[in-house]
Amino acid sequence: QLTAAAVMAGMEVEYDVTTATSEDPDFPAENLAEGRRKGWRAARGAPRAALELKLASPCHLKSVRVGNQDSPVAVVVFAQGSAVERGSFVGSAPLQAGAEQRGNCVRLAANHLSAGMVFEFKVGSRDDMLKAIASQHEWVSLRLEVTPLVAAGGTPPESFGLKKLEVERTLTDGEKKQREAAVTAASQPRPTPQPSQPLQPLEQSQPPSNASRPAQPLQP
């Protein structure tokens, strides 16, 4: 049953992995796009890796959900706008002050993920959340930079990677109205069914008037 929270939920976005700067042949980056449990791993010994995703259609971002493999990593999320000119981001509105650009991408969020951790980058004000610009502009692609974390004096992990990568977009105005209408309809009380009328017993038919008369013997 739809609830009010469903109206605020996002819509999953399909994507293709167009670039993986490093990958283990047994754990290709395509596993992430196809939702396979094995996920993606960088090649053994890689110092870092980056993934570039092409979104199915330009959209305003709501969240990026990342599931880590078994080694601590730092993840940085970048996005490319729907219009790029001369190597710089060009969107439907100017970038806010402090928005960090790298070439034709804008940095949206960063966080450290412990082994096996699943983290959802949502739009918010904290440093580990997506910047507000994520939901204010249309984006056509994402870039995730993944770097293994090594403690002081520690040994770099043999491998690292992600087991999950899901992207959600905000709803369009039309989709919001449809969901609101569905929630309203679902919240309406259902009509109380009327009790069924008991069946009336069938009236027994009267036997024919001659049924009680003894049979007359046949005349010779």
Side-chain angles (χ1 to χ4, degrees):
Q1 182 177 349
L2 287 174
T3 63
V7 178
M8 302 301 295
M11 189 79 72
E12 187 171 353
V13 179
E14 294 184 355
Y15 63 85
D16 292 322
V17 180
T18 57
T19 301
T21 59
S22 178
E23 64 180 6
D24 184 323
D26 293 330
F27 298 85
E30 287 77 9
N31 284 349
L32 296 173
E34 297 171 359
R36 296 180 181 176
R37 293 184 177 181
K38 293 176 62 175
W40 157 80
R41 287 182 182 272
R44 291 182 178 273
R48 66 187 62 82
L51 302 175
E52 294 184 359
L53 320 177
K54 181 180 180 181
L55 305 181
S57 59
C59 61
H60 295 73
L61 296 175
K62 182 176 180 63
S63 69
V64 179
R65 188 178 299 107
V66 179
N68 190 21
Q69 295 276 18
D70 46 15
S71 298
V73 295
V75 177
V76 184
V77 182
F78 290 84
Q80 185 181 52
S82 58
V84 177
E85 183 178 304
R86 297 179 183 176
S88 297
F89 169 81
V90 179
S92 56
L95 291 177
Q96 292 90 342
E100 178 186 340
Q101 289 187 235
R102 180 184 297 179
N104 59 5
C105 294
V106 179
R107 175 171 167 161
L108 297 181
N111 196 16
H112 291 179
L113 276 62
S114 58
M117 179 180 180
V118 176
F119 184 80
E120 186 172 11
F121 293 96
K122 294 182 178 181
V123 175
S125 58
R126 297 203 318 255
D127 291 341
D128 60 355
M129 292 185 172
L130 292 179
K131 296 185 181 299
I133 191 177
S135 62
Q136 296 168 350
H137 291 270
E138 282 192 339
W139 309 95
V140 295
S141 62
L142 296 178
R143 176 183 174 89
L144 275 72
E145 296 182 353
V146 185
T147 306
L149 298 175
V150 183
T155 303
E158 291 187 1
S159 66
F160 63 92
L162 303 177
K163 62 182 178 182
K164 177 187 294 186
L165 179 53
E166 299 171 347
V167 182
E168 281 193 350
R169 63 172 175 82
T170 60
L171 300 179
T172 64
D173 291 341
E175 290 169 338
K176 288 180 182 179
K177 290 179 180 179
Q178 289 179 354
R179 287 196 179 183
E180 289 171 352
V183 170
T184 300
S187 63
Q188 297 297 323
R190 297 182 179 180
T192 304
Q194 297 296 325
S196 57
Q197 298 296 328
L199 297 176
Q200 298 296 328
L202 296 175
E203 296 183 0
Q204 295 185 357
S205 58
Q206 296 296 326
S209 57
N210 60 353
S212 57
R213 297 177 182 178
Q216 296 297 322
L218 297 175
Q219 296 298 326

